Amino acid sequence: MANLNNKLEHKHYWWLKNTLFRHYTKDQILDAFNKINVAVEKEKKNQEILPWVNDTKLERKHYWWVRNILFKFYDYKILMDVLRGI
């Protein structure tokens, strides 16, 4: 399998692998990333959504970090490829 961690900066990959996977199951993380992506896409299209509503299993601090850092710097497809490779 290809080394997918080179798609993210080391500090982001490390946090994803060693923080999120310590607190949540892979299914919970995948579900959260899918829901966050929907919110981000709606925001890009200026659709009415409640801003920054956490409807995932992630704690607020983790939700904000994922949405504010990972989704700001990385494409959804890259994030999902990395998650599936962990």
Side-chain angles (χ1 to χ4, degrees), residues 1 26 30 32 39 43 48 50 52 58 61 65 75 78:
M1 173 170 236
K26 191 170 193 171
L30 289 170
E43 184 179 25
E48 288 293 321
L50 293 173
W52 298 89
L58 303 182
K61 63 184 177 184
W65 196 90
D75 182 63
I78 290 172

Side-chain angles (χ1 to χ4, degrees), residues 52 63-73:
W52 298 89
Y63 175 85
W64 277 71
W65 196 90
V66 168
R67 185 160 175 187
N68 198 34
I69 302 296
L70 293 181
F71 275 83
K72 184 176 181 180
F73 292 109

Side-chain angles (χ1 to χ4, degrees), residues 17-75:
K17 185 174 180 182
N18 293 304
T19 300
L20 285 187
F21 278 88
R22 186 168 15 118
H23 294 284
Y24 309 103
T25 67
K26 191 170 193 171
D27 287 339
Q28 287 175 316
I29 296 168
L30 289 170
D31 181 59
F33 274 60
N34 286 327
K35 289 178 179 179
I36 293 169
N37 185 57
V38 169
V40 168
E41 290 302 315
K42 284 183 178 181
E43 184 179 25
K44 287 179 184 177
K45 295 175 184 175
N46 292 322
Q47 292 179 350
E48 288 293 321
I49 60 168
L50 293 173
W52 298 89
V53 172
N54 181 2
D55 62 346
T56 71
K57 302 271 187 205
L58 303 182
E59 289 180 39
R60 182 183 165 139
K61 63 184 177 184
H62 297 146
Y63 175 85
W64 277 71
W65 196 90
V66 168
R67 185 160 175 187
N68 198 34
I69 302 296
L70 293 181
F71 275 83
K72 184 176 181 180
F73 292 109
Y74 303 104
D75 182 63

Side-chain angles (χ1 to χ4, degrees), residues 1-8 13 78 81-86:
M1 173 170 236
N3 182 8
L4 295 173
N5 69 345
N6 63 1
K7 292 185 178 189
L8 303 182
Y13 178 79
I78 290 172
D81 287 347
V82 170
L83 283 173
R84 288 185 185 109
I86 294 177

